[in-house]
Amino acid sequence: MNQPVDNRAARDDYYRRIGTQGMTPLWEAMSALVPETPRTPCVPHLWHYDAVRPALMESGTLITAREAVRRVLILENPGMPGSSSITQSLYAGLQLILPGEVAPSHRHTQTALRLIVEGEGAYTAVDGERATMHAGDFIITPSWTWHDHGNPAEVPVVWLDGLDIPLVRFFDCGFAENHPAESQPVTRPEGDAQARYGANLLPVDFRSTRGASPVFAYPYARSREALHRLSKGQEVDAAHGHRMQFINPTTGGPAMPTMGAFVQWIPAGFSGNAYRSTDGTVFQVIEGRGAVEIAGRRFDFGPRDTFVVPSWMPYRFVTQGDETVLFSFSDRPVQQALHLWREERIA
Ligand code: 1HN
């Protein structure tokens, strides 16, 4: 009694028979279903911008932004082939828009964020207002907002897209539609949202109506200025340097309900403490060179590179001569809302 029995063949035959009835044995799946610590197919990876840029520019000779709707090379996690995902919950891609092009207006329940990587002078329009892009700017497209892009400038413009596509797919709650006009009508002057909601002021009768920030463009000049001032102080966080989160100024909460976005300044000559958290995170290098060690593997990074840190893998930053500025995003607000998020500092 109560001794494991050696009846592999009988069990396999049994599994096959119950399989025809739409059942499988929990005891064969238990440890995978309820791991002691997060077990993810997502692997650490770094995309060197200099290496991927030629292929991205070549896409501009093969298809127009209009035909493609969005001309994007998906950054797919090598551990998750075929998933169009960079982590289990997040999608990322590099989008190219050439001078004179328009990417037509549409909306979807998936939330998008952009971090401008190269070029300037293109715009994105969100809910009737355009924002002109400059390298390092952070722009959000909240769920179900009309959005389109255009490039009236002389140079190609590239940005990193981050979307909560896998999360929305998980919940099977995706909806999308095209705008009747290729470019949505402009109904508010550029800078309107910033003046109305992003100047430590709010309209006197303001009531929050949606989860995402009504400020949809966060110019890099402003975040860089804030980080520059912080860098003049004394102590930095031993793991992160100075790490700030992009907020919805009307609530103090995250800029978007499904994705957290962050920007951090790391001093030169930094040998950071290791850190891990349950939100797998995508980083985009804005300025400077350095290295990140992820679960013991070292990745050297420079300006415009993208890398991904999977859930719960320890990582630490090492810099030499350069101050660095990194943008990052993750599903942290979702995990926090569900009381699932954990972090650990590994001294
Ligand atoms: C989308 O709407 C954009 O608006 C970018 O720029 C990437 C990937 C999948 C679905 C929609 C954009 C997207 C996307």
Side-chain angles (χ1 to χ4, degrees):
M1 287 286 266
N2 287 329
Q3 296 300 314
V5 285
D6 181 10
N7 56 359
R8 191 78 247 165
R11 287 184 189 179
D12 286 344
D13 179 66
Y14 169 76
Y15 298 159
R16 188 189 49 71
R17 283 183 283 114
I18 65 172
T20 68
Q21 295 176 277
M23 297 187 288
T24 70
L26 172 61
W27 59 87
E28 293 287 345
M30 193 110 177
S31 63
L33 292 182
V34 189
E36 282 183 23
T37 58
R39 219 187 273 176
T40 178
C42 178
V43 296
H45 192 75
L46 182 143
W47 290 262
H48 283 292
Y49 188 69
D50 290 346
V52 304
R53 188 181 186 279
L56 185 61
M57 291 301 155
E58 189 181 348
S59 74
T61 69
L62 297 173
I63 192 165
T64 63
R66 183 173 280 122
E67 184 190 349
V69 181
R70 299 294 185 262
R71 190 200 291 111
V72 179
L73 295 185
I74 299 173
L75 302 179
E76 187 176 75
N77 192 285
M80 302 157 64
S83 67
S84 299
S85 302
I86 191 162
T87 70
Q88 291 273 55
S89 61
L90 300 172
Y91 158 106
L94 289 171
Q95 180 160 172
L96 168 68
I97 187 160
L98 294 171
E101 287 194 312
V102 164
S105 196
H106 67 191
R107 63 178 177 177
H108 37 70
T109 48
Q110 292 84 355
T111 293
L113 64 82
R114 337 265 170 209
L115 195 285
I116 315 309
V117 174
E118 173 183 334
E120 63 177 4
Y123 67 82
T124 191
V126 177
D127 265 352
E129 181 178 338
R130 289 182 177 180
T132 303
M133 299 173 165
H134 316 86
D137 289 356
F138 168 62
I139 295 175
I140 66 169
T141 305
S143 179
W144 208 239
T145 52
W146 294 112
H147 57 283
D148 47 85
H149 318 296
N151 185 356
E154 305 286 310
V155 292
V157 175
V158 175
W159 62 83
L160 176 76
D161 283 316
L163 288 92
D164 54 9
I165 288 172
L167 190 75
V168 172
R169 184 169 57 206
F170 176 80
F171 288 122
D172 283 336
C173 56
F175 295 86
E177 63 186 24
N178 292 323
H179 198 282
E182 184 164 66
S183 301
Q184 65 180 297
V186 173
T187 58
R188 292 176 288 142
E190 178 155 6
D192 187 271
Q194 183 71 251
R196 227 177 264 275
Y197 313 108
N200 289 336
L201 298 167
L202 283 181
V204 66
D205 290 325
F206 176 80
R207 295 285 177 276
S208 181
T209 53
R210 64 181 183 202
S213 171
V215 173
F216 68 97
Y218 299 71
Y220 185 54
R222 294 181 63 158
S223 10
R224 185 70 183 87
E225 166 69 12
L227 291 170
H228 182 74
R229 286 195 188 278
L230 294 181
S231 75
K232 301 299 171 202
Q234 291 303 308
E235 82 292 8
V236 295
D237 182 275
H240 305 305
H242 289 298
R243 193 178 195 199
M244 310 292 281
Q245 50 179 317
F246 288 97
I247 62 154
N248 173 346
T250 72
T251 63
M256 301 156 287
T258 54
M259 290 186 286
F262 312 87
V263 66
Q264 72 199 97
W265 175 89
I266 299 171
F270 188 68
S271 179
N273 283 356
Y275 171 85
R276 64 179 168 183
S277 58
T278 51
D279 51 324
T281 304
V282 180
F283 288 85
Q284 178 69 28
V285 183
I286 304 180
E287 288 183 41
R289 295 183 177 278
V292 58
E293 289 169 20
I294 309 170
R297 274 180 68 193
R298 180 188 163 115
F299 298 86
D300 292 301
F301 62 75
R304 300 173 175 170
D305 293 350
T306 311
F307 57 90
V308 57
V309 178
S311 168
W312 210 237
M313 289 192 191
Y315 68 97
R316 63 184 291 266
F317 294 111
V318 179
T319 62
Q320 295 188 331
D322 285 10
E323 300 178 4
T324 67
V325 180
L326 307 177
F327 168 80
S328 53
F329 70 98
S330 76
D331 63 13
R332 184 176 298 191
V334 180
Q335 294 197 30
Q336 288 182 325
L338 303 178
H339 296 271
L340 289 168
W341 183 73
R342 290 196 194 190
E343 66 176 340
E344 184 177 41
R345 288 171 177 278
I346 306 159

